[in-house]
C-alpha cells in the first residue's frame, strides 16, 4: 500500500505541475499533498447518488414524458384538422408550442445521458436512447424530405430499419416549423429529377408532413415511456443501480464508477454547449471565420438560446443534487466536505451567472449573431467560466476522470 500511495502522490504532483503551467488550475495543488486516498474512499457517496437519481434524473425524465404525451395529442389533432378542413392554423400553433415544451424538457435531459440514455460505447448500461429521441448534430433534412415522399414512416418497422436522422425531436422541428414548398435536397436528387416532389400539391405536402409528425410523436412517446420505465423503482429500477453503486445490487462496480458516469454526462456543458452550440456559430471556433448562424442548433424554431438555458438549468440542478441546493445533496456538498467550500461557492455563482447572462441576451440567438455578436460571446465566456473550473479544480480535487471526448480540450 505504501508504494501505491507514493505513486499516487507522484502522479498528483506531476498533474498539478502540468495544470498550473497550462493555466488550468488555481487551487488544489498546494492542499492535501500528503498521503491521500481517493475521496470516494473517504466519503460515502450514496447520498449524492441517491439525490441525483431521485431529485434530478427521474423528475426530468418524468417531465419529458408528460410533455411527450401532450405532443402526441397535438400532432394527432393537427393531422385531423388538415384532413377534415377545420381550423388547422390553430392546431398548428398548438403543435408548435407542444414541440417547444417537449424540447425544453428534453434539453434538460440532454445533460443526463447516464445509464440507458447514454452511449453503449461509454456509459455503464448505455442503450443509446438519447440518439433515438434527439440526434443533433446528426441531422439530414434531405433524408427527411426523401422519407416524406416515400411515405413509409407509418410502417411498423420504420424506426428499426432507418437511421436516427430520419426521426426524433430534431426531425419534428423541421417538419413542423418548415412549411416551404421546396425541399432540402440538391437538384440532382432523384426526387427532384423524377418529378416525385413536384407531383405533390401543397395540400399533399402539408398532410404528409402532418402524418409524418404524427408517427414521430407516437414513437417519441414510446421512447419517453421506455426511459421512465428504465428508471422507475417498480420497473427497471435504475435509480437503485445509481444509489446502490458498489453493492451487489448495482450494475456499477463502485460509487466512483457511478460518479464518473455522472461527471461524464455533465461534460456535455463543455464539449457540446460551449463548443458546438456557442463557440462554433459565434466564430470563436476555428471552424467558423465569423458568425455562422447555420451552425446553430435550432434552425427552424430558432430557440437555440432557450436550449442553452435549459442545459444550464439541468447542470445547476445536477451540481446541487436537486432544485433546492440547501435541502438536496450534490457535488457542492461533496466539495464542502472535502474542504473546498470556496470552490463550491464560486461554481454555484458562476452557474447562476451563466443562466442569467444567457436569458438576458435580447431576441433569438440567430438575431444576436448579426446584431449583438459580443453578447453571444459574452454567453460563451460565462459558460466557459463554469467549464474551466469543471475541467481543472473540480476534477482534480474530486479525482474524477475526464471523458475521452474532452481530454484534449484545453480552452
Amino acid at each position: 500500500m505504501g508504494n501505491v500511495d507514493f505513486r499516487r502522490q507522484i502522479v498528483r504532483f506531476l498533474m498539478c505541475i502540468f495544470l498550473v503551467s497550462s493555466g488550468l488550475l488555481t487551487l488544489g495543488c498546494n492542499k492535501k499533498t500528503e498521503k491521500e486516498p481517493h475521496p470516494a474512499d473517504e466519503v460515502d457517496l450514496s447520498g449524492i447518488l441517491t439525490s441525483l437519481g431521485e431529485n434530478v434524473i427521474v423528475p426530468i425524465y418524468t417531465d419529458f414524458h408528460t410533455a411527450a404525451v401532450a405532443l402526441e395529442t397535438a400532432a394527432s389533432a393537427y393531422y385531423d384538422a388538415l384532413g377534415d378542413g377545420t381550423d388547422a392554423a390553430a392546431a398548428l400553433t398548438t403543435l408548435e408550442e407542444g414541440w417547444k415544451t417537449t424540447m425544453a424538457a428534453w434539453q434538460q435531459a440532454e445533460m443526463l445521458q447516464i445509464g440507458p440514455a447514454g452511449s453503449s460505447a461509454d456509459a455503464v448500461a448505455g442503450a443509446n436512447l438519447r440518439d433515438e429521441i434527439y440526434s443533433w448534430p446528426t441531422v439530414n433534412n434531405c433524408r427527411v424530405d426523401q422519407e416524406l415522399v416515400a411515405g413509409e414512416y407509418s410502417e411498423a418497422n420504420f424506426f428499426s430499419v432507418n437511421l436516427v436522422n430520419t426521426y426524433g425531436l430534431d426531425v419534428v422541428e423541421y417538419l413542423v416549423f418548415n412549411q416551404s414548398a421546396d425541399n432540402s435536397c440538391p437538384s440532382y436528387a432523384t426526387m427532384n429529377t423524377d418529378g416525385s416532389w413536384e407531383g405533390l400539391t401543397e395540400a399533399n405536402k402539408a398532410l404528409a408532413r402532418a402524418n409524418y409528425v404524427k408517427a414521430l410523436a407516437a414513437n417519441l412517446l414510446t421512447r419517453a415511456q421506455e426511459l421512465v420505465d428504465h428508471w422507475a423503482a417498480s420497473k427497471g429500477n435504475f435509480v437503485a443501480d445509481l444509489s446502490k453503486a458498489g453493492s451487489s445490487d448495482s450494475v456499477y462496480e463502485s460509487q466512483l464508477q457511478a460518479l464518473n458516469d455522472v461527471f461524464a454526462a455533465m461534460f456535455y456543458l463543455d464539449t457540446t454547449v460551449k463548443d458546438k452550440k456557442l463557440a462554433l456559430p459565434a466564430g470563436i471556433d476555428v471552424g467558423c471565420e465569423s458568425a455562422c448562424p447555420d451552425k446553430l442548433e435550432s434552425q427552424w424554431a430558432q430557440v437555440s438560446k432557450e436550449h442553452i438555458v435549459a442545459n444550464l438549468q439541468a447542470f445547476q440542478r445536477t451540481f446541487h443534487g436537486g432544485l433546492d441546493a440547501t435541502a438536496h445533496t450534490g457535488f457542492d456538498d461533496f466539495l464542502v466536505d472535502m474542504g473546498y467550500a470556496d470552490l463550491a461557492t464560486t461554481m454555484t455563482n458562476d452557474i447562476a451567472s451563466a443562466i442569467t447572462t444567457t436569458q438576458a441576451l435580447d431576441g433569438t440567438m440567430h438575431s444576436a449573431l448579426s446584431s449583438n455578436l459580443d453578447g453571444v460571446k459574452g454567453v460563451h465566456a460565462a459558460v466557459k467560466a463554469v467549464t474551466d473550473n469543471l475541467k481543472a479544480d473540480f476534477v482534480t480535487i474530486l479525482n474524477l476522470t475526464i471523458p475521452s471526448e474532452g481530454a484534449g480540450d484545453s480552452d
Side-chain angles (χ1 to χ4, degrees):
M1 288 295 293
N3 289 335
V4 172
D5 291 334
F6 178 75
R7 287 197 296 270
R8 284 176 176 169
Q9 293 178 42
I10 292 297
V11 170
R12 179 181 175 82
F13 176 74
L14 293 175
M15 180 179 290
C16 287
I17 290 177
F18 168 74
L19 291 171
V20 169
S21 65
S22 302
L24 294 175
L25 189 63
T26 58
L27 58 86
C29 284
N30 61 339
K31 297 185 179 183
K32 300 193 175 188
T33 55
E34 68 276 5
K35 179 180 178 180
E36 184 177 29
H38 193 281
D41 298 330
E42 298 179 323
V43 178
D44 181 10
L45 302 178
S46 59
I48 296 174
L49 296 172
T50 298
S51 194
L52 284 169
E54 295 179 354
N55 301 315
V56 181
I57 299 172
V58 170
I60 286 177
Y61 286 168
T62 301
D63 288 346
F64 171 63
H65 178 268
T66 300
V69 171
L71 179 64
E72 186 194 34
T73 299
S76 295
Y78 176 57
Y79 176 74
D80 292 342
L82 282 176
D84 61 24
T86 55
D87 191 359
L92 177 58
T93 298
T94 300
L95 178 57
E96 290 172 344
E97 292 305 311
W99 178 86
K100 289 178 181 179
T101 300
T102 306
M103 194 57 169
W106 183 254
Q107 286 294 338
Q108 294 226 3
E110 280 283 271
M111 194 63 63
L112 304 170
Q113 294 175 44
I114 302 162
S119 166
S120 58
D122 302 312
V124 173
N128 304 306
L129 280 180
R130 181 268 175 183
D131 287 351
E132 292 293 315
I133 294 169
Y134 185 59
S135 63
W136 185 87
T138 303
V139 295
N140 189 332
N141 294 330
C142 175
R143 283 287 298 117
V144 176
D145 285 328
Q146 289 171 334
E147 293 299 336
L148 189 71
V149 172
E152 298 174 349
Y153 38 78
S154 296
E155 296 184 2
N157 67 342
F158 177 80
F159 299 99
S160 60
V161 300
N162 283 283
L163 298 177
V164 294
N165 60 14
T166 60
Y167 54 90
L169 283 164
D170 44 319
V171 177
V172 175
E173 177 184 10
Y174 176 64
L175 292 170
V176 170
F177 291 88
N178 168 41
Q179 298 294 321
S180 172
D182 299 324
N183 61 69
S184 296
C185 294
S187 58
Y188 56 79
T190 300
M191 62 185 291
N192 287 323
T193 60
D194 67 5
S196 55
W197 179 262
E198 287 300 323
L200 294 173
T201 66
E202 293 307 299
N204 290 151
K205 290 172 185 174
L207 193 62
R209 285 186 174 117
N211 199 21
Y212 196 168
V213 169
K214 181 180 175 181
L216 297 178
N219 183 64
L220 282 167
L221 180 54
T222 298
R223 294 301 189 183
Q225 185 65 62
E226 186 178 352
L227 196 54
V228 169
D229 286 348
H230 272 299
W231 283 82
S234 60
K235 298 288 183 66
N237 202 19
F238 201 82
V239 69
D241 279 299
L242 190 64
S243 64
K244 296 180 179 179
S247 74
S248 59
D249 296 326
S250 174
V251 296
Y252 290 105
E253 296 178 357
S254 66
Q255 291 182 331
L256 176 59
Q257 184 186 40
L259 203 68
N260 268 314
D261 253 17
V262 175
F263 176 67
M266 293 171 71
F267 229 77
Y268 179 95
L269 188 69
D270 181 75
T271 57
T272 302
V273 177
K274 177 177 68 67
D275 293 345
K276 295 178 182 177
K277 297 189 181 188
L278 286 167
L280 187 57
I284 299 170
D285 187 281
V286 293
C288 181
E289 293 183 2
S290 57
C292 295
D294 63 312
K295 300 299 183 182
L296 285 171
E297 180 178 15
S298 177
Q299 286 294 313
W300 304 98
Q302 296 198 3
V303 287
S304 295
K305 180 179 73 175
E306 289 79 1
H307 290 356
I308 293 171
V309 170
N311 297 153
L312 285 164
Q313 289 171 335
F315 184 92
Q316 182 183 55
R317 192 170 181 174
T318 303
F319 184 72
H320 294 307
L323 289 173
D324 189 332
T326 302
H328 297 142
T329 305
F331 286 96
D332 52 340
D333 300 293
F334 193 5
L335 289 170
V336 171
D337 289 344
M338 293 298 298
Y340 296 95
D342 288 349
L343 179 60
T345 299
T346 296
M347 292 191 70
T348 293
N349 293 338
D350 285 348
I351 296 166
S353 177
I355 292 172
T356 301
T357 301
T358 308
Q359 291 174 326
L361 190 69
D362 287 337
T364 67
M365 193 68 73
H366 276 79
S367 63
L369 284 177
S370 59
S371 64
N372 186 15
L373 184 58
D374 285 343
V376 178
K377 290 182 177 180
V379 172
H380 175 270
V383 173
K384 188 175 183 295
V386 179
T387 61
D388 280 353
N389 273 321
L390 184 72
K391 294 187 294 185
D393 294 341
F394 183 89
V395 69
T396 303
I397 291 166
L398 302 186
N399 201 2
L400 298 171
T401 302
I402 292 179
S404 57
E405 65 269 25
D409 184 15
S410 59
D411 68 342

